[in-house]
Amino acid sequence: MKNANPDGMSRRELMKTSGKVAVASALAGLALPQVHAGESNTINIALVGCGGRGTGAAGDALSTTLGPTKLVAVADVFPNKPGDTLKNLHKEFAKQIDVPKDRQFVDFQAYKHAMDSLKPGDVVILATPPAFRWVHFTYALQKGLHVFMEKPVTVDGPSTRKMLALADESEKRANIKVGVGLMCRHCVVRKELFDRIKSGEIGDITLLRAYRVRGQEAKEFSRAKPEGMSELLYQIDRFHSFLWASGGCYSDFLIHNIDECCWMKDAWPVQAKAIGGRQYRGNYVDQNFDHYSVEYTFADGAKFMLEGRNIPDCWQEFASYAHGTKGSAVISASGHSPAKCRTYKGQKHVKDDLVWHGPKDEPNPYRVEWNDLMDAIRNDKPYNEVRRGAEASLVTAMGRMAAHTGQTISHDQMLNCEHELAPDVDKFEMDSPAPVRAGPDGKYPVPEPGRKKKREY
């Protein structure tokens, strides 16, 4: 059904165009510099987001074997975090750190100041909660910087539309290189497994299975906000607990399993339906379900079954599998690395049916992805993972929304969903209101499957 509008565009066309319009507006009139490595052989790095993953990404960047790198600026919204990050990095990389106090920036504009410390051809690491990714990436493009952004890169349909528009813009500038932190795609053993699957070693894939069923892992369960802390900073600090900030534990924890399974299938699912719920919540006030069971469907009818759970003292598994018409494969066996990939001639994973297994010693994919990015920068090779990162994030959100609404959600429905979880994220200041507020009982709005069918809360 078409809406009345002067251009005769359908609602779907309008929704898809909205992200491009927003990005075009943000980038309009800017004289974007040519990107080059500069006369110095050293590539300077700025870190935006000084949490655990940001600190880890900075360490991986400083560990690259493809030429000298130096950390020159850091940014966060919490005053203590830049110092904590630098202290941790100094233990191993003291000679590669040059971040005086005047390049340790703290507030919601800190990302701009950190990027302003770089020159075109340098690298910025974007490792804040995912809700801010499109905002920070927009400025990085304005500055002509190479980018490494952590996953997920979007949290909902509107932010995915914006990121896909930014992907279009970044792809027009082949001299800008962009990596996305889905490091399993850089695993050399998984790459060999992918090649073996494509060559027909296990036949046509008809079923994929993935599990990340463990206890509490990070900040996915939260108790009431402490006195004296702003509501907005509390939610950013506990970002795994809030859907607007991260997509919740589902998006942040399960995206790697989803991405590696879709890689082996060499396709993205077109539909998802799911079940999930909350148990043993006690005084926890967050928005997450603590268990999810999702059935993704591909265009050819093949299925992908995903299980996520964060309940302590239950059986645990962190692995992904592929089943084909001629055999099966282990995509990952016990976490992200080492993958311990294997193929079997049947569906039973027993020694007598083993066809191939990867080597015992696997290069660290967190380090490999940085070597790949630096190789592209220094040798001007095509390198842009934004579109794939946005697709992986969207497919992840599709499964999450299916569980949270109790509806069957298609890829197109998720992309064109109107519910923007943090519509003013680009306008946040230290005293801004938070995107969600606790009710009289101190708890935040949670998904209500079957009651709320077009939005997650």
Side-chain angles (χ1 to χ4, degrees):
M1 179 177 177
K2 292 189 175 183
N3 290 341
N5 66 80
D7 298 318
M9 296 176 68
S10 70
R11 183 176 187 80
R12 176 177 298 176
E13 290 166 335
L14 283 168
M15 294 296 287
K16 287 184 176 179
T17 302
S18 64
K20 294 183 179 181
V21 171
V23 168
S25 176
L27 297 175
L30 291 163
L32 296 172
Q34 291 295 310
V35 179
H36 53 83
E39 296 183 4
S40 170
N41 192 35
T42 298
I43 293 178
N44 289 333
I45 297 168
L47 171 62
V48 178
C50 297
R53 188 73 283 275
T55 303
D60 294 330
L62 297 174
S63 298
T64 181
T65 58
L66 298 176
T69 54
K70 182 187 293 185
L71 183 66
V72 299
V74 295
D76 206 281
V77 295
F78 295 97
N80 63 302
K81 287 194 174 182
D84 291 345
T85 285
L86 294 173
K87 181 179 178 181
N88 286 329
L89 292 173
H90 261 284
K91 297 173 185 177
E92 187 175 354
F93 306 106
K95 294 181 179 180
Q96 294 171 262
I97 296 175
D98 178 18
V99 190
K101 280 289 185 182
D102 62 355
R103 290 204 296 271
Q104 299 175 33
F105 304 104
V106 178
D107 62 24
F108 279 98
Q109 300 304 309
Y111 73 95
K112 292 183 177 180
H113 303 315
M115 290 191 229
D116 290 345
S117 303
L118 302 177
K119 63 183 183 300
D122 286 333
V123 179
V124 61
I125 299 171
L126 305 181
T128 62
F132 298 94
R133 202 73 77 239
W134 73 267
V135 179
H136 298 168
F137 186 38
T138 299
Y139 195 70
L141 284 179
Q142 293 174 5
K143 300 294 292 185
L145 301 173
H146 302 302
V147 176
F148 176 84
M149 63 175 82
E150 264 303 338
K151 57 74 199 169
V153 302
T154 68
V155 298
D156 53 27
S159 61
T160 301
R161 295 195 297 272
K162 291 171 186 174
M163 188 60 74
L164 288 172
L166 288 167
D168 288 341
E169 189 64 34
S170 65
E171 288 166 357
K172 295 175 185 176
R173 302 168 191 154
N175 51 358
I176 289 181
K177 320 302 178 186
V178 189
V180 171
L182 292 167
M183 71 289 165
C184 295
R185 294 267 184 158
H186 295 264
C187 170
V188 295
V189 183
R190 285 182 179 87
K191 285 182 178 179
E192 181 172 352
L193 175 62
F194 175 78
D195 290 341
R196 287 174 173 273
I197 290 174
K198 292 296 286 184
S199 71
E201 189 163 299
I202 67 169
D204 295 331
I205 292 177
T206 57
L207 173 66
L208 293 143
R209 297 181 293 122
Y211 305 86
R212 186 164 177 168
V213 288
R214 315 217 294 181
Q216 186 171 349
E217 296 198 57
K219 296 181 177 181
E220 67 268 35
F221 305 143
S222 291
R223 301 188 190 279
K225 180 182 74 67
E227 292 292 332
M229 189 176 194
S230 82
E231 185 68 58
L232 180 57
L233 290 183
Y234 166 72
Q235 292 182 23
I236 292 173
D237 180 56
R238 308 291 305 180
F239 66 99
H240 290 127
S241 286
F242 295 94
L243 296 176
W244 73 264
S246 63
C249 63
Y250 183 97
S251 287
D252 203 87
F253 297 169
L254 297 175
I255 188 171
H256 287 297
N257 295 85
I258 292 168
D259 185 57
E260 68 181 358
C261 286
C262 293
W263 177 22
M264 296 303 152
K265 178 63 178 169
D266 201 16
W268 298 110
V270 296
Q271 178 181 285
K273 55 186 179 182
I275 295 171
R278 295 161 60 90
Q279 298 185 26
Y280 317 127
R281 302 304 289 181
N283 294 323
Y284 291 125
V285 300
D286 57 273
Q287 296 186 288
N288 287 311
F289 285 175
D290 48 33
H291 62 280
Y292 295 88
S293 181
V294 185
E295 177 191 279
Y296 285 104
T297 302
F298 294 92
D300 65 358
K303 302 294 185 180
F304 167 27
M305 310 301 295
L306 175 70
E307 305 289 340
R309 183 178 63 206
N310 295 98
I311 299 176
D313 299 323
C314 300
W315 67 270
Q316 298 190 7
E317 188 170 2
F318 191 170
S320 299
Y321 308 94
H323 297 269
T325 53
K326 292 167 50 180
S328 59
V330 175
I331 303 169
S332 59
S334 55
H336 301 318
S337 180
K340 302 179 182 178
C341 299
R342 302 184 292 278
T343 60
Y344 295 85
K345 62 183 179 183
Q347 303 306 320
K348 291 183 177 180
H349 294 173
V350 294
K351 186 175 181 180
D352 288 346
D353 289 347
L354 182 67
V355 175
W356 165 85
H357 66 82
K360 283 187 177 181
D361 295 325
E362 299 182 26
N364 183 339
Y366 291 95
R367 298 291 168 90
V368 174
E369 69 179 344
W370 269 98
N371 282 336
D372 290 346
L373 176 58
M374 288 298 182
D375 178 45
I377 292 171
R378 293 188 180 277
N379 296 297
D380 196 22
K381 297 179 180 179
Y383 198 95
N384 192 316
E385 298 182 331
V386 182
R387 190 172 303 280
R388 178 166 57 75
E391 281 287 358
S393 301
L394 181 72
V395 166
T396 302
M398 180 170 70
R400 186 192 74 219
M401 188 171 185
H404 288 172
T405 61
Q407 309 303 303
T408 298
I409 304 295
S410 72
H411 183 280
D412 208 40
Q413 284 175 312
M414 190 67 236
L415 179 61
N416 292 290
C417 178
E418 296 183 54
H419 186 198
E420 187 168 6
L421 304 183
D424 296 319
V425 68
D426 56 331
K427 302 178 182 67
F428 282 174
E429 299 293 345
M430 296 301 278
D431 59 353
S432 294
V436 294
R437 295 297 183 95
D441 60 357
K443 297 184 178 181
Y444 296 90
V446 296
E448 299 177 67
R451 293 183 176 178
K452 293 183 174 67
K453 300 179 181 180
K454 295 184 178 180
R455 53 188 296 132
E456 295 186 62
Y457 57 87

